[in-house]
Amino acid sequence: MKNRFIKRTAVILLLLTMLLLSACAKKKPAVSESISVSDTTEVSVSLPEPEPEPETLQAADFELADYFTKEEVMQKYTDYLATVLSEEDAGTARYTLAYVNSDSIPELIYMEGNFRSAGAHVCICDADGKISDIGEFGEYGNMAYVEKTGKIISFYMNQGVYFTDFYVLNGLSLIADTYFEIDEAVLDSESDHYYVDGDEVSADEYRKRLNAMDQNAYSAINFDKALSYKDTDDVFRVLNEFALTDVCPSMISLTENCPQFIGEWTVMGMTASKGASYTDAVDLDLTGILTVSDSGHVSFKLTYGEKELVDDGMPVTYKGNDGEAPFFTSLGFSNDDLTRDYVIYLTGEGRLEVCLTDFSGFLEDGYVCYFYLVKTVV
């Protein structure tokens, strides 16, 4: 009896001490825990929840719009680009926006160029308004992601070694998921080596695990579709318009800079390559209309015999001023799936020349054709 009395007294004193400490602590939602006093007695007390780790405060439910408007974030992105891009980088850099993590304000993506060692930088804004570059992914200014899930693919190849890295952007924190590697055989007598997270596996196991990553769900960020930083007339205007409409704008305001391009243009003829003989559209069974809108988006509709080409809403992504007369000004853009690249030139007297590089197989006369147009609607 004496031992049991002493034991109960000690436990009660311990409980009183814990209750006093709990009362002095900052009030927080509590969880219940049970402490056994004896074989027949059970006392229930409330203990404070532990303080969350700092990283938990910036987890996937972080919502940047609770701290800043889209317009404010786009201004921060504008200032950030001006700070991080050197004069040399600015000449080749491109940029765009993408909803990589789960909040309602897009992330800034920029590329220093389209060479092998230049990936796509993903930049995020935190609750203090600080812009951070969380990583450079891919090569040639290209990477892939799954919208609003934080999933990112980075692919890189060098000297017969192929890396495919998967990451997850969890709110404001980047987490490495799985990486895949192939080392090609150096000698004909050797076999290729396959690795998953550094462990060597068979080729079948490699393909099975890579296919399980559901690569088809990823969307590409491509250097050719991003906007030229050097040629942009107002980076803030472009970013803000992009963020508010979710439609990629032209990187120049045509109404202010190139109003002579705006209007509807009709195809009059074509040459299969530069310097080849000109053929009238009627003789080629060719009809086409190119429309340049006030917003700087271009549509091209072409029928060529029984085939039809339709590319709508292509934003102007770069401007050139280095051609010989009369090609002093040119505008460049690509169709949505990047199977066709366009450059248009003003040749004077209300005429336009379109250089179309086609990778889709639509043209029978080669990869590059030149169309000649006249303005029919202003």
Side-chain angles (χ1 to χ4, degrees):
M1 286 291 294
K2 183 176 180 181
N3 289 338
R4 179 173 292 184
F5 175 77
I6 293 173
K7 180 180 179 182
R8 287 189 177 182
T9 303
V11 170
I12 291 172
L13 288 173
L14 173 63
L15 293 176
L16 287 174
T17 303
M18 293 174 66
L19 290 171
L20 286 172
L21 290 173
S22 176
C24 295
K26 182 179 179 181
K27 291 185 178 180
K28 296 178 64 65
V31 294
S32 180
E33 290 191 7
S34 296
I35 297 178
S36 179
V37 177
S38 70
D39 296 337
T40 58
T41 305
E42 188 175 85
V43 179
S44 180
V45 297
S46 294
L47 301 176
E49 287 187 343
E51 292 288 338
E53 296 294 328
E55 188 176 28
T56 306
L57 299 174
Q58 297 182 344
D61 58 354
F62 172 78
E63 177 52 67
L64 184 57
D66 292 340
Y67 302 90
F68 302 101
T69 65
K70 282 187 176 181
E71 185 175 3
E72 289 171 332
V73 176
M74 296 308 115
Q75 184 62 65
K76 294 179 186 297
Y77 287 162
T78 302
D79 297 340
Y80 180 78
L81 284 174
T83 301
V84 298
L85 291 176
S86 66
E87 186 174 345
E88 181 180 358
D89 292 337
T92 58
R94 294 198 176 190
Y95 66 100
T96 188
L97 295 175
Y99 289 92
V100 181
N101 67 14
S102 60
D103 67 33
S104 62
I105 296 181
E107 282 65 58
L108 171 69
I109 315 293
Y110 78 90
M111 312 85 160
E112 290 149 327
N114 63 341
F115 45 93
R116 183 185 295 280
S117 61
H121 296 259
V122 178
C123 304
I124 58 176
C125 181
D126 64 19
D128 295 323
K130 179 185 177 183
I131 307 299
S132 298
D133 184 340
I134 59 104
E136 184 178 12
F137 306 95
E139 59 182 0
Y140 294 105
N142 304 320
M143 58 165 275
Y145 74 107
V146 181
E147 185 172 295
K148 290 199 171 184
T149 66
K151 294 181 179 180
I152 296 171
I153 289 182
S154 177
F155 177 81
Y156 186 81
M157 185 275 288
N158 190 26
Q159 296 183 341
V161 182
Y162 301 82
F163 298 96
T164 305
D165 297 286
F166 291 81
Y167 299 90
V168 177
L169 178 57
N170 183 28
L172 304 179
S173 301
L174 184 69
I175 302 169
D177 188 353
T178 309
Y179 83 87
F180 296 79
E181 178 185 342
I182 300 176
D183 291 356
E184 287 187 332
V186 176
L187 303 175
D188 292 339
S189 59
E190 294 181 346
S191 300
D192 295 343
H193 294 274
Y194 299 84
Y195 302 89
V196 178
D197 283 339
D199 297 325
E200 187 165 5
V201 297
S202 68
D204 288 343
E205 177 68 12
Y206 178 93
R207 284 188 285 269
K208 178 181 176 181
R209 294 182 63 176
L210 183 61
N211 290 337
M213 301 303 291
D214 194 18
Q215 295 176 81
N216 292 331
Y218 286 76
S219 300
I221 289 180
N222 194 289
F223 179 86
D224 291 331
K225 288 189 70 176
L227 298 162
S228 167
Y229 184 79
K230 171 179 66 70
D231 295 324
T232 300
D233 60 0
D234 185 338
V235 174
F236 171 72
R237 173 192 68 80
V238 171
L239 287 174
N240 198 44
E241 183 179 336
F242 201 166
L244 294 176
T245 64
D246 289 334
V247 175
C248 184
S250 168
M251 52 85 199
I252 61 172
S253 173
L254 292 188
T255 54
E256 295 179 9
N257 296 279
C258 301
Q260 63 272 37
F261 280 96
I262 297 171
E264 182 180 283
W265 304 78
T266 300
V267 174
M268 302 301 293
M270 182 185 83
T271 61
S273 61
K274 199 67 174 176
S277 59
Y278 170 90
T279 306
D280 286 330
V282 65
D283 295 331
L284 291 167
D285 193 16
L286 176 72
T287 60
I289 297 291
L290 183 138
T291 305
V292 183
S293 71
D294 292 345
S295 66
H297 288 81
V298 184
S299 296
F300 190 48
K301 299 180 180 181
L302 188 73
T303 58
Y304 191 19
E306 297 181 354
K307 296 194 295 185
E308 185 178 34
L309 178 156
V310 179
D311 288 329
D312 277 325
M314 298 176 285
V316 174
T317 54
Y318 63 91
K319 180 177 69 172
N321 295 292
D322 55 353
E324 297 180 359
F327 307 120
F328 287 122
T329 302
S330 62
L331 303 178
F333 44 92
S334 302
N335 68 338
D336 190 55
D337 63 4
L338 300 177
T339 58
R340 287 182 284 274
D341 293 333
Y342 295 84
V343 179
I344 59 177
Y345 307 86
L346 287 169
T347 62
E349 300 179 355
R351 294 182 180 273
L352 189 75
E353 182 174 317
V354 176
C355 174
L356 171 59
T357 304
D358 175 59
F359 307 101
S360 69
F362 177 86
L363 298 172
E364 299 174 354
D365 302 288
Y367 287 105
V368 181
C369 284
Y370 293 81
F371 298 92
Y372 304 94
L373 306 91
V374 294
K375 183 176 281 190
T376 49
V377 178
V378 178

